[in-house]
Structures are given as structure tokens and as C-alpha cells.
Amino acid sequence: MLGWLCGQPWCRALHDKYADRGLTVVGISLHEKDVEAPARYFKEKHYSYLGLVQGEAAGRAYGVGPIPHIFVIGPDGIVADQIVGSGPKLAERIEKKVLELLPATRN
């Protein structure tokens, strides 16, 4: 799962809950003036998933416009879902899609 502006508690919760089944969460930051700020934020919040700073090139490659912008990418590398914006059901929608894509157990 790739997330531009994925610094929300539910990103961490998904990572913590499903990492052992193969979920990889990557939080991607854009246009930061202080490139150390995202690392400090991740450390402060105890986020253990991956973070990418200066993600403008990745954003262009994926066609990211407004943020937050979340991509759920399947094990085959194909985008299974993308969500722009936020809302009360966002975490539920993403978790449902993640569960569809993850194997029941990890080998």
C-alpha cells in the first residue's frame, strides 16, 4: 500500500495488524522544506512502516494529485484500488481491499 500523506493512526494499525501476512505500508511525503521532518514525525509517533521523503518522482509516476492519495497495490504489482481524500469509512475501505489481496496465512 502506498500512501501520500499516510501519517494517520489507521496506517500504523493496518501495518501492525497485517505485516506478518505480507502487507507493506509506505508513507510518502512531498515537497518538504525540511527533509528530516517526516523522519522525526515517524519516530515521534512510533510508526514502524516505511517512509519516503521527496516523493515527487513517485507521485508523478502514479499520477498523484490532491493528497491524501492512497494506492492499494496487489502482490502482482497492479493497482487494486486508489482513494483520493479522506472520510469516516476510509480505513474500513482500505482494510477490506487489503484483506481481499492478502493470503490467509503467510508461508
Side-chain angles (χ1 to χ4, degrees), residues 17-23 98-99 102-106:
K17 190 171 181 180
Y18 299 113
D20 65 336
R21 289 181 50 195
L23 176 67
V98 164
L99 287 172
L102 286 178
T105 59
R106 183 99 192 246

Side-chain angles (χ1 to χ4, degrees), residues 5-59:
L5 202 65
C6 194
Q8 302 298 317
W10 61 263
C11 291
R12 177 182 175 185
L14 280 176
H15 169 78
D16 291 349
K17 190 171 181 180
Y18 299 113
D20 65 336
R21 289 181 50 195
L23 176 67
T24 300
V25 174
V26 181
I28 302 173
S29 180
L30 298 170
H31 310 299
E32 56 283 302
K33 293 179 181 169
D34 175 2
V35 296
E36 299 297 324
R40 286 192 303 270
Y41 181 79
F42 268 53
K43 186 175 181 177
E44 178 183 299
K45 297 293 184 182
H46 304 286
Y47 292 163
S48 57
Y49 57 87
L50 299 171
L52 172 68
V53 296
Q54 297 180 326
E56 288 82 3

Side-chain angles (χ1 to χ4, degrees), residues 1 72-81 101:
M1 182 177 92
V72 179
I73 301 172
D76 56 5
I78 295 174
V79 174
D81 198 2
L101 297 169

